[in-house]
């Protein structure tokens, strides 16, 4: 596999477009009215990391930290680069960043019908709560 690297996100508008593209079917299914500008504004306050493959931005990680630990707010990989192990490498980077911040818990929220649920389960996350749309998952930081 080509080397995957990370850098602080440089173009939040482009990252917002990636999120909108990847999440459009979920937003439509659940009548969520998000657009690129709203996503970009919402992500301004988060810690945003670009995911690069061979120097090209292919995804984004968005994090926030609180007293409970690290919250993976978003993990997006461009559709043409999915199913290549990039998500797994990104999760390892999230854990590294969480460790560096002394977080003890990793948390996330994922649509119940997202294929990402299996990725998170393979990486030790378990469902600790749910509602009509989402699983709320967490695991300890190693």
């Amino acid at each position: 596999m080509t080397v995957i690297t990370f850098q602080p996100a440089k173009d939040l508008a482009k990252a917002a477009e990636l999120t909108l593209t990847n999440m459009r079917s979920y937003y439509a299914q659940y009548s969520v009215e998000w657009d690129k500008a709203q996503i970009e504004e919402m992500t301004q306050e988060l810690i945003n990391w670009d995911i690069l493959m061979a120097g090209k931005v292919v995804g984004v990680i968005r994090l926030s930290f609180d007293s409970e630990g690290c919250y993976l707010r978003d993990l997006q990989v461009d559709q043409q680069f999915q199913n290549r192990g990039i998500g797994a490498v990104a999760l390892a980077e999230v854990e590294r960043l969480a460790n560096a911040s002394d977080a003890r818990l990793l948390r996330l929220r994922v649509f119940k019908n997202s294929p990402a649920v299996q990725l998170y389960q393979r990486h030790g996350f378990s469902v600790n709560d749910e509602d009509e749309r989402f699983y709320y998952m967490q695991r300890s930081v190693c």
Side-chain angles (χ1 to χ4, degrees), residues 23-34 111 133:
M23 301 302 291
R24 187 171 274 123
S25 66
Y26 300 103
Y27 295 166
Q29 179 179 353
Y30 293 108
S31 301
V32 176
E33 298 292 330
W34 282 98
F111 281 107
R133 298 187 287 184

Side-chain angles (χ1 to χ4, degrees), residues 30 112 130-134:
Y30 293 108
K112 287 181 169 182
E130 65 181 274
D131 61 27
E132 322 71 58
R133 298 187 287 184
F134 297 108

Side-chain angles (χ1 to χ4, degrees), residues 57-110:
V57 176
V58 297
V60 64
I61 300 168
R62 296 186 179 100
L63 306 172
S64 63
F65 291 86
D66 61 21
S67 61
E68 293 184 38
C70 178
Y71 187 13
L72 175 57
R73 301 292 297 268
D74 204 8
L75 169 56
Q76 298 293 334
V77 176
D78 187 304
Q79 291 175 357
Q80 64 184 353
F81 295 96
Q82 291 178 5
N83 300 308
R84 297 187 189 186
I86 295 170
V89 174
L91 285 175
E93 179 66 6
V94 168
E95 180 153 3
R96 189 192 70 74
L97 293 166
N99 264 324
S101 297
D102 294 324
R104 288 177 274 154
L105 193 63
L106 284 173
R107 295 173 296 139
L108 60 86
R109 177 180 74 179
V110 61

